[in-house]
Amino acid sequence: MAHSTPLRLLAAALLAGAALAATAQDNKVLNLYSARHYQTDEALYANFTKATGIKINRIDADDAGVLNRLKAEGAASPADVVLLVDAARLTKAESEGLFQPVNSAVLQARIPAHLRDNADGGGPQWFGFSTRARIVVYNKATVQPADVDSYQKLADPKNKGKVCTRSGSHPYNLTLFGAMLQHLGPQATEAWLKGLVDNMARAPKGGDTDQIKAAASGECQIALTNSYYLARLMRSTKPEDVEVVSKIGFVFPNQQSWGTHVNISGGALAKHAKNRAEAVAFLEYLAGDEAQRYFADGNNEWPAVASVKLNNPALEAMGTFKVDTLPIADAGRNQAQVQQMLDRVGFK
Ligand code: FE
């Protein structure tokens, strides 16, 4: 049994008081709906809680799951912050009224204008926190890089029977095609999409990694993929992945013109957020140097804040490139028009 001297009692009372204060602080929470599931994100959230005392309750789902849940919950939704992948999904969620504007000098200063929402009225409704490039992978034995160094060339008749891609209706492609629509206009874009269909080695199926593997195996020769899928294979030590990487080359398209299309992982303030101040603090935290590093590195992406440097061997090996600075929001908002074109040209 411990002897309770007055000093000990005082110390115990002080400790109890400190514990109460800590509990009051711990009551600050924020509810995060996230479509990101990377191990490094755990450290990201823990560091935020350590720095601010704000506890994060996380609900994980895939992108469609997050959006369906937000819609079903409506005004009763406990969501404060929403993390989604791809500008097509972010612009769609915005148009469905699931977000609200955020007026933050920190976010405006840190996140480049082309990587955030640019809609009129009250400030941006979402911000990109990491970037991924939509690149071209090719079979080194049969394709010259000069044959595929622009998105337009993928539709060139000389590449007939060589191209493979995931579904045209996938957000990654909808946003890329939406960017093409901004650059080329409707007629040329639809003709380009028709040319892509004419050049396909097979009907669209699978994800981006499947396309890379098909280009390596010779099932097709030329594939569109997000950069992080290639980076993941480049960092893999599995013999079958090493074999795939040995057979392929890649290019950052459109280096001689407007630059390579980059998409984003992004975040937004939920329409019915109850913990608004905490949510904005978290979004601002994601734009900080350390968080930028974790957020990007977790999925082999580049930080949205360009001055933040990663220590990622695969991205280092890929090198630097000219980025298309067309507002990604404009590309995302073209998705309905793009889908109509895809239907007309028979792009599945
Ligand atoms: Fe992906």
Side-chain angles (χ1 to χ4, degrees), residues 15 20 40 48 54 117 145 149 152-153 170 187 199 293 298 312 314 326 341:
L15 276 173
L20 271 178
T40 46
F48 174 74
I54 300 168
D117 178 32
D149 63 5
Q152 294 94 312
K153 284 186 185 176
H170 190 277
Q187 276 191 341
N199 281 354
R293 238 168 250 129
N312 182 308
L326 174 97
M341 291 180 177

Side-chain angles (χ1 to χ4, degrees), residues 30-34 66-67 70 79-85 89-91 93-94 97-102 107 115-117 124-129 264-273 275-276 278-284 286 295:
L30 100 84
N31 297 314
L32 173 66
Y33 282 26
S34 176
V66 166
L67 293 173
L70 282 172
D80 297 307
V81 170
V82 182
L83 296 182
L84 287 176
V85 166
R89 291 196 182 102
L90 286 158
T91 51
E94 178 190 344
L98 299 176
F99 302 152
Q100 60 174 304
V102 176
L107 290 170
L115 299 179
R116 51 176 144 94
D117 178 32
Q125 297 207 16
W126 48 263
F127 299 83
F129 292 113
I264 53 170
S265 262
L269 179 60
K271 172 78 173 181
H272 303 288
N275 303 298
R276 199 177 194 284
E278 290 79 2
V280 172
F282 182 66
L283 292 171
E284 290 178 345
L286 289 181
F295 198 89

Side-chain angles (χ1 to χ4, degrees), residues 142-159:
T142 53
V143 177
Q144 296 300 313
D147 293 340
V148 291
D149 63 5
S150 74
Y151 298 113
Q152 294 94 312
K153 284 186 185 176
L154 301 184
D156 190 296
K158 81 174 155 209
N159 289 322

Side-chain angles (χ1 to χ4, degrees), residues 132 172 226 228-229:
R132 63 275 296 282
Y172 301 164
N226 279 356
Y228 56 86
Y229 293 109

